[in-house]
Amino acid sequence: FYVSPAGNDRNPGTSEEFPLRGVQHAIDRMQAGDTLVVLDGVYTGSLKLKSGITIQAKNPRRAVFSGLTQLETSFREHSGGIYKAKIEGSLKQLFYDDQPMTWARWPNANWSENWIAEKKWAKAANGTGPGVLTSEAFKEISSLDLEGGYCFLRYGKRNSCYSRTVESFDGKTLHWDETKFYSLRHTGQDGNKATPDKFPKLRKSDENHPNKCLFFLAGAYGLLDAPGEWFVSDNRLYLYPPEGSNPNESVVWTKTIDYCIDEEEAVSDVTIKGIDVLAYSVRMASPKNRNICFENVHFKYINSEQLHIDRVRGDEEEKPVQLIGSNIRIEKCLFAGAMQSALRLTGEDLHVEN
């Protein structure tokens, strides 16, 4: 079978000249042993698989399963290069002319700079402790209103951070809500290792210590001050477009669906090859799955919600590519832009070749 965005679901779909249009429509016609050739283009919607089928791109990297929806709204100028628009519901990710934008945050850092420590983190100064942050860098943002924002603290291991609401900020000292901060239930793997008296002494091996934890701020309108940032409040999207552009003359995409494939029932002998999966994830949750292969598939911008009041909620809502079963193969695939975990395999006879 063949499928194309320019096809028609009334076509026979058994030749490239007369393809079907919907991927799911094609799968519904398929039997075990059939192959679906995905022609160049972008495909949306969620899929339900069948056992014994192969789905492959005719031209790898040119057939895209996308979880993005074009934002159909009009922007108008708000102030200082910022535009605003009415929206419905919440946004999980925002793309501007195919590039991911960043939540309003400080220090300013765009998506690709997430792993540059001096970009992502600010350093707390002496005097920082439970529920309190001071920093020499606060002079850059001393006039900002941070009400309703989040303070992301890195005091655990590796790149982990734990978010807490901002209670007050007077330009020099920030107070954050430490309620339940020292509870494993609310901060996850590292929270129960801290107590108020130990907080400033953690991570002594870190060159930024003693008495200097790292942090960044996000989730407040006052932090919307750099191109490529966005903020949502009361069904209003505020966007600072890159390079002084006008969003009404560009294409703005939003992530609204978490999964391209979310399969509870067992399937077997399924192969997916050469597809790009954009702003989607895949979940195949049955322990009875067997002989599943993803080959040369590129997963980009995985997961959903990006701001969480506590670490545990973030862990519960992460949506990596999750495959459960036996004889699962991941061959030469790419996982890029995951918010937390990218790939989770569970079962036996698991193979990853990259």
Side-chain angles (χ1 to χ4, degrees):
F1 288 89
Y2 295 81
V3 66
S4 166
N8 190 312
D9 287 337
R10 290 189 290 271
N11 287 340
T14 51
S15 69
E16 191 169 340
E17 290 74 24
F18 298 98
L20 299 166
R21 186 174 189 275
V23 176
Q24 186 63 60
H25 194 85
I27 292 174
D28 291 343
R29 294 191 183 190
M30 295 171 73
Q31 302 294 326
D34 287 346
T35 294
L36 174 61
V37 178
V38 183
L39 303 179
D40 296 357
V42 177
Y43 303 82
T44 59
S46 298
L47 304 177
K48 185 171 181 60
L49 298 176
K50 283 182 177 178
S51 294
I53 66 172
T54 295
I55 301 174
Q56 66 180 52
K58 178 186 178 183
N59 300 301
R61 312 287 75 80
R62 296 175 67 179
V64 181
F65 291 174
S66 174
L68 300 179
T69 301
Q70 185 171 349
L71 187 63
E72 300 290 348
T73 188
S74 295
F75 287 86
R76 60 188 180 91
E77 291 190 56
H78 180 59
S79 65
I82 297 172
Y83 288 77
K84 67 180 179 180
K86 290 183 180 179
I87 60 168
E88 296 294 332
S90 62
L91 303 185
K92 298 180 177 183
Q93 287 181 342
L94 188 75
F95 291 76
Y96 191 88
D97 287 340
D98 298 328
Q99 295 300 311
M101 300 290 97
T102 307
W103 324 280
R105 58 156 290 160
W106 177 87
N108 292 327
N110 63 40
W111 187 282
S112 63
E113 296 171 328
N114 179 62
W115 295 102
I116 304 175
E118 58 270 25
K119 282 278 191 177
K120 178 172 184 176
W121 305 101
K123 294 181 181 179
N126 291 332
T128 291
V132 179
L133 272 178
T134 59
S135 174
E136 294 296 328
F138 276 162
K139 58 188 178 184
E140 299 176 11
I141 58 170
S142 60
S143 62
L144 295 186
D145 179 6
L146 303 184
E147 182 179 355
Y150 297 84
C151 175
F152 288 77
L153 304 161
R154 180 183 141 184
Y155 84 103
K157 57 186 178 182
R158 299 187 301 274
N159 202 44
S160 300
C161 55
Y162 304 85
S163 60
R164 286 297 179 270
T165 53
V166 176
E167 292 185 326
S168 66
F169 178 63
D170 63 6
K172 295 182 179 180
T173 303
L174 182 148
H175 291 273
W176 51 273
D177 181 8
E178 62 169 329
T179 305
K180 302 177 181 177
F181 182 72
Y182 308 101
S183 161
L184 177 64
R185 179 179 177 185
H186 292 274
T187 54
Q189 56 193 340
D190 292 328
N192 66 328
K193 298 179 182 178
T195 61
D197 61 306
K198 291 181 180 178
F199 180 85
K201 302 176 184 178
L202 295 177
R203 295 182 58 87
K204 286 188 176 181
S205 61
D206 193 310
E207 64 181 3
N208 299 306
H209 281 67
N211 293 343
K212 288 185 180 180
C213 73
L214 301 179
F215 70 98
F216 68 88
L217 307 176
Y221 172 79
L223 300 171
L224 182 60
D225 64 348
E229 292 186 339
W230 60 279
F231 178 76
V232 171
S233 177
D234 298 328
N235 293 325
R236 297 273 184 179
L237 167 63
Y238 298 87
L239 174 64
Y240 198 140
E243 300 177 353
S245 56
N246 185 333
N248 292 309
E249 300 172 356
S250 302
V251 180
V252 181
W253 301 91
T254 65
K255 176 178 168 61
T256 56
I257 303 174
D258 291 327
Y259 290 107
C260 172
I261 298 167
D262 189 2
E263 194 75 65
E264 290 282 355
E265 298 180 5
V267 293
S268 60
D269 304 302
V270 172
T271 298
I272 298 178
K273 302 170 62 175
I275 304 291
D276 273 20
V277 180
L278 175 65
Y280 263 146
S281 191
V282 169
R283 177 176 173 267
M284 301 177 68
S286 174
K288 296 181 180 180
N289 291 327
R290 60 183 180 86
N291 303 333
I292 309 298
C293 179
F294 286 81
E295 179 184 336
N296 192 24
V297 176
H298 285 194
F299 297 92
K300 300 177 181 178
Y301 307 116
I302 308 163
N303 294 113
S304 59
E305 300 286 351
Q306 303 179 359
L307 293 177
H308 301 285
I309 294 176
D310 60 57
R311 171 62 180 268
V312 171
R313 181 184 165 197
D315 287 347
E316 290 174 348
E317 295 188 12
E318 67 173 340
K319 295 177 174 63
V321 174
Q322 181 177 2
L323 307 174
I324 300 175
S326 61
N327 191 23
I328 296 176
R329 308 189 70 88
I330 305 294
E331 299 181 353
K332 299 180 180 177
C333 294
L334 173 72
F335 299 84
M339 296 313 307
Q340 297 184 63
S341 302
L343 173 65
R344 180 178 298 152
L345 300 180
T346 306
E348 60 183 9
D349 202 12
L350 310 174
H351 306 264
V352 178
E353 177 188 351
N354 279 338

